[in-house]
Amino acid sequence: MKVLLTLLLALSLPLSALAQEKKEEAEGENAAPKIIYVGIVPALVGNYSSGTKMKFYKADISLKVTGSEAEEKVKYHEPLIRNQLVQLFSQQTDESLGSMDSKEKLRQEALKQVKQVLEQEEGKPYVEDLLFNNLILQ
């Protein structure tokens, strides 16, 4: 009888481990999508015109995406995204960068352009938000 109980216990252990593994997989599938912040590295540095003087900017930017697929797509297209953002920043003036409202408009325009790039290249915008970690104007 002891042998039979030991044999049943030995056979049931792998089944219980398999059931636990299936349960963990199901919980992983039901979990909320993972939010990832993809930094545009190195920071964008360039100049913009302010009348007769050239001024400089440095922008540390992060893109908010959901899931590893979106992260991979953003990283793959980073050179194109970077180019679009550099062009946008170089078109700015003191007036378009002078206040918090104007910086917010710039952030929204940058997000719009990043989404357009990804939509053209991948058919899906992938990026949910664009954040200025640091924006220095000189």
Side-chain angles (χ1 to χ4, degrees):
M1 190 66 158
K2 267 187 169 179
V3 173
L4 185 60
L5 285 173
T6 305
L7 186 58
L8 285 173
L9 181 61
L11 290 174
S12 68
L13 284 176
L15 292 175
S16 66
L18 184 61
Q20 179 66 26
E21 188 176 303
K22 294 267 186 199
K23 181 181 174 186
E24 288 173 1
E25 284 178 15
E27 287 174 355
E29 291 171 0
N30 293 336
K34 184 178 176 187
I35 303 246
I36 302 167
Y37 293 93
V38 180
I40 303 295
V41 179
L44 301 176
V45 178
N47 54 24
Y48 65 98
S49 181
S50 176
T52 59
K53 289 181 91 177
M54 272 306 212
K55 296 211 172 183
F56 299 93
Y57 69 86
K58 178 182 177 190
D60 289 316
I61 295 174
S62 291
L63 303 173
K64 179 181 174 185
V65 299
T66 301
S68 58
E69 177 189 6
E71 177 186 22
E72 290 171 17
K73 299 291 184 186
V74 166
K75 285 182 178 180
Y76 180 78
H77 292 291
E78 184 178 339
L80 191 55
I81 292 169
R82 176 181 287 280
N83 178 63
Q84 195 68 28
L85 292 173
V86 166
Q87 287 181 13
L88 175 65
F89 275 86
S90 66
Q91 295 170 358
Q92 301 307 305
T93 64
D94 278 342
E95 293 79 35
S96 66
L97 294 172
S99 69
M100 289 302 290
D101 289 339
S102 58
K103 288 176 185 172
E104 176 60 21
K105 287 178 186 173
L106 175 63
R107 187 190 71 78
Q108 289 175 0
E109 180 61 27
L111 174 61
K112 179 179 147 190
Q113 289 193 18
V114 168
K115 285 183 173 186
Q116 286 176 347
V117 165
L118 290 168
E119 185 78 46
Q120 289 172 348
E121 296 297 317
E122 294 292 333
K124 193 174 176 184
Y126 286 108
V127 175
E128 295 174 23
D129 204 0
L130 180 142
L131 307 167
F132 290 143
N133 297 329
N134 201 357
L135 180 59
I136 300 172
L137 307 170
Q138 186 176 4

